[in-house]
Short mmCIF file of all heavy atoms in Angstrom, two decimals:
data_model
loop_
_atom_site.label_atom_id
_atom_site.label_comp_id
_atom_site.label_asym_id
_atom_site.label_seq_id
_atom_site.Cartn_x
_atom_site.Cartn_y
_atom_site.Cartn_z
N PHE A 90 7.94 -11.24 -9.07
CA PHE A 90 7.29 -10.09 -9.67
C PHE A 90 7.10 -10.32 -11.27
O PHE A 90 6.12 -9.90 -11.78
CB PHE A 90 8.07 -8.72 -9.39
CG PHE A 90 7.30 -7.53 -9.69
CD1 PHE A 90 6.37 -7.14 -8.73
CD2 PHE A 90 7.41 -6.78 -10.83
CE1 PHE A 90 5.57 -5.90 -8.99
CE2 PHE A 90 6.72 -5.61 -11.07
CZ PHE A 90 5.83 -5.20 -10.19
N ALA A 91 8.12 -10.92 -11.82
CA ALA A 91 8.02 -11.20 -13.27
C ALA A 91 6.99 -12.26 -13.48
O ALA A 91 6.53 -12.39 -14.66
CB ALA A 91 9.43 -11.60 -13.80
N GLY A 92 6.76 -13.14 -12.53
CA GLY A 92 5.74 -14.19 -12.77
C GLY A 92 6.21 -15.20 -13.74
O GLY A 92 5.36 -16.02 -14.20
N ASP A 93 7.52 -15.39 -13.90
CA ASP A 93 8.04 -16.42 -14.94
C ASP A 93 8.51 -17.65 -14.23
O ASP A 93 8.97 -18.48 -14.88
CB ASP A 93 9.08 -15.73 -15.73
CG ASP A 93 10.35 -15.29 -14.98
OD1 ASP A 93 10.46 -15.52 -13.79
OD2 ASP A 93 11.16 -14.69 -15.58
N GLY A 94 8.43 -17.75 -12.88
CA GLY A 94 8.85 -18.95 -12.16
C GLY A 94 10.29 -19.08 -11.92
O GLY A 94 10.77 -20.00 -11.30
N THR A 95 11.10 -18.13 -12.43
CA THR A 95 12.54 -18.20 -12.24
C THR A 95 13.08 -17.83 -10.86
O THR A 95 14.17 -18.21 -10.42
CB THR A 95 13.36 -17.40 -13.29
OG1 THR A 95 13.13 -16.06 -13.02
CG2 THR A 95 12.92 -17.76 -14.75
N GLY A 96 12.26 -16.93 -10.23
CA GLY A 96 12.70 -16.49 -8.96
C GLY A 96 13.84 -15.42 -8.93
O GLY A 96 14.44 -15.11 -7.98
N LYS A 97 14.08 -14.85 -10.14
CA LYS A 97 15.16 -13.99 -10.32
C LYS A 97 14.69 -12.52 -9.96
O LYS A 97 15.57 -11.66 -9.84
CB LYS A 97 15.71 -13.99 -11.76
CG LYS A 97 16.33 -15.25 -12.08
CD LYS A 97 16.92 -15.16 -13.47
CE LYS A 97 17.64 -16.51 -13.86
NZ LYS A 97 18.05 -16.55 -15.22
N ASP A 98 13.49 -12.27 -9.82
CA ASP A 98 12.91 -10.91 -9.58
C ASP A 98 12.02 -10.97 -8.44
O ASP A 98 10.84 -10.81 -8.57
CB ASP A 98 12.39 -10.34 -10.80
CG ASP A 98 11.98 -8.84 -10.72
OD1 ASP A 98 12.45 -8.16 -9.66
OD2 ASP A 98 11.27 -8.31 -11.59
N ILE A 99 12.50 -11.14 -7.22
CA ILE A 99 11.68 -11.26 -6.05
C ILE A 99 11.49 -9.87 -5.41
O ILE A 99 12.48 -9.14 -5.26
CB ILE A 99 12.27 -12.24 -5.03
CG1 ILE A 99 12.49 -13.63 -5.60
CG2 ILE A 99 11.47 -12.28 -3.74
CD1 ILE A 99 11.21 -14.29 -6.05
N ARG A 100 10.25 -9.41 -5.20
CA ARG A 100 10.05 -8.11 -4.69
C ARG A 100 8.91 -8.13 -3.56
O ARG A 100 8.16 -9.06 -3.41
CB ARG A 100 9.48 -7.18 -5.72
CG ARG A 100 10.45 -7.05 -6.93
CD ARG A 100 10.01 -5.93 -7.92
NE ARG A 100 10.67 -6.07 -9.14
CZ ARG A 100 10.50 -5.17 -10.17
NH1 ARG A 100 9.66 -4.17 -10.02
NH2 ARG A 100 11.13 -5.35 -11.29
N SER A 101 9.02 -7.05 -2.78
CA SER A 101 7.98 -6.86 -1.67
C SER A 101 7.53 -5.31 -1.88
O SER A 101 8.34 -4.50 -2.38
CB SER A 101 8.64 -6.97 -0.39
OG SER A 101 9.07 -8.31 -0.17
N GLY A 102 6.36 -5.04 -1.49
CA GLY A 102 5.92 -3.63 -1.60
C GLY A 102 4.48 -3.50 -1.25
O GLY A 102 3.92 -4.18 -0.51
N LEU A 103 4.00 -2.32 -1.60
CA LEU A 103 2.60 -1.82 -1.35
C LEU A 103 1.65 -2.28 -2.49
O LEU A 103 1.82 -1.95 -3.63
CB LEU A 103 2.56 -0.34 -1.16
CG LEU A 103 1.22 0.29 -0.84
CD1 LEU A 103 0.80 -0.25 0.54
CD2 LEU A 103 1.46 1.83 -0.74
#
Side-chain angles (χ1 to χ4, degrees):
F90 198 78
D93 61 7
T95 65
K97 293 181 181 178
D98 189 13
I99 303 300
R100 299 188 197 185
S101 297
L103 183 61

